[in-house]
Amino acid sequence: MSTMPWHAELWERLQARRRRDAMPHALLLCGPAGLGKRDFLRRFVRGLLCEQSVDGDACGRCRSCLLLDAGTHPDLIALSFGLRKDGVQRSDIVVDQIRDLSSRLAMASQFGGWQIATIDPADFMNTAAANALLKTLEEPSRNTLLLLVADAPWRMPQTIRSRCQRIEFQVPAREEALAWLQGEGVKDAAAALDAAGGNPGLAKAWAEQGALARRQEVRKDLAALAAGRGETMEVVRRWLDNEPEQRLWFAAQAAADEARGRAGAGNGPLSSHLDAEALDDWYRAANHARDALRGPLRGDLLLLELLSRWR
């Protein structure tokens, strides 16, 4: 299984704990999306359940590996968004799922080794689900491991976070990220990395999805609105129609660039009328709107309010 170079230190640290027979009962894999947390998780789970692993990596041939490949390993429970009674996928993880998980973990491992449960995304457990998980975290069964994955761990209750050993994925050094992107064949790797805020996984995905063109479009939209050109609602409709969260990421970046330009030369690249304090407020508002789009609020109203402030 291919790995990302910035995983090496985290991997060795975890394998050292395994060699000392000092594995915790719960791990929280956290950090920004795009850094390979889930690839790391799959590699780690496969190594734990493999009957002939070498240095923590699975052999790919034993009974456990074949069952994992088929998605039928009896000692692995993967919990994510379930379905409502009407067949629509939920947008959160609910208490009944956690109760069912706890019941299954109370039973012995069928293969006599580790029994592993993954919760992904753990930061989308609702309050009742998180409270139900506490009992399992406080009274773990022997050879049972809970693996929680979260892009935004601050959304989780402190009571959950404090009971997990954290594995934090951080944006790697620019040189390392660029070398990886170039090795992956990403064109305009430097520009893609800048667009993704230094995050190589996002840079690769966005380069493949045409994000650099969207970034330029966002900057043109903001420059036009700052100059009093264009219709705000028309911009709102276009942003909502195509990767709105990504566009808000680029909008926040643009506000930061504007503030830096204002501080250095007295005039930012987008010629916004906002002063330094207002630009800082707008930057935070753009990031808040990006998170709020995942909730029940109307996206058109969120973007209209935000872009009206820019204009």
Side-chain angles (χ1 to χ4, degrees), residues 37-236:
K37 295 187 300 295
R38 290 162 181 88
D39 290 337
F40 187 99
L41 173 74
R42 284 189 289 272
R43 181 188 176 195
F44 181 59
V45 167
R46 289 180 66 87
L48 277 181
L49 293 176
C50 176
E51 298 167 356
Q52 305 171 40
S53 66
V54 177
D55 296 330
D57 279 311
C59 71
R61 300 180 302 274
C62 69
R63 174 183 58 167
S64 285
C65 287
L66 296 177
L67 287 171
L68 285 169
D69 289 340
T72 57
H73 198 294
D75 291 331
L76 175 61
I77 308 164
L79 189 64
S80 189
F81 297 127
L83 298 178
R84 300 189 322 216
K85 292 182 179 179
D86 59 4
V88 176
Q89 187 178 59
R90 293 184 180 276
S91 59
D92 58 357
I93 293 173
V94 299
V95 64
D96 287 344
Q97 292 176 275
I98 300 298
R99 287 172 178 161
D100 179 62
L101 172 67
S102 299
S103 297
R104 293 181 63 183
L105 289 178
M107 296 183 287
S109 161
Q110 293 195 36
F111 283 7
W114 283 99
Q115 188 168 215
I116 300 173
T118 65
I119 303 177
D120 179 18
D123 45 338
F124 279 80
M125 285 187 291
N126 64 25
T127 301
N131 289 336
L133 184 63
L134 275 178
K135 182 176 177 61
T136 299
L137 288 172
E138 291 169 346
E139 301 175 6
S141 303
R142 179 175 172 79
N143 283 349
T144 293
L145 179 61
L146 279 168
L147 296 168
L148 283 64
V149 184
D151 295 341
W154 56 88
R155 294 184 183 140
M156 302 167 59
Q158 174 62 21
T159 49
I160 297 291
R161 287 179 279 146
S162 65
R163 287 166 172 78
C164 300
Q165 180 75 40
R166 292 169 72 105
I167 299 181
E168 299 199 37
F169 292 74
Q170 299 179 346
V171 172
R174 181 175 177 80
E175 295 77 13
E176 185 176 44
L178 269 178
W180 180 78
L181 286 171
Q182 290 162 353
E184 293 289 307
V186 174
K187 296 180 179 179
D188 298 323
L193 193 62
D194 289 339
N199 185 317
L202 283 184
K204 182 175 185 290
W206 288 0
E208 293 168 349
Q209 297 163 10
L212 293 181
R214 277 192 291 277
R215 181 176 186 249
Q216 188 60 30
E217 185 179 304
V218 165
R219 297 175 78 87
K220 287 182 179 178
D221 286 338
L222 292 177
L225 291 174
R229 303 190 308 272
E231 291 294 330
T232 306
M233 273 308 302
E234 193 274 330
V235 174
V236 167

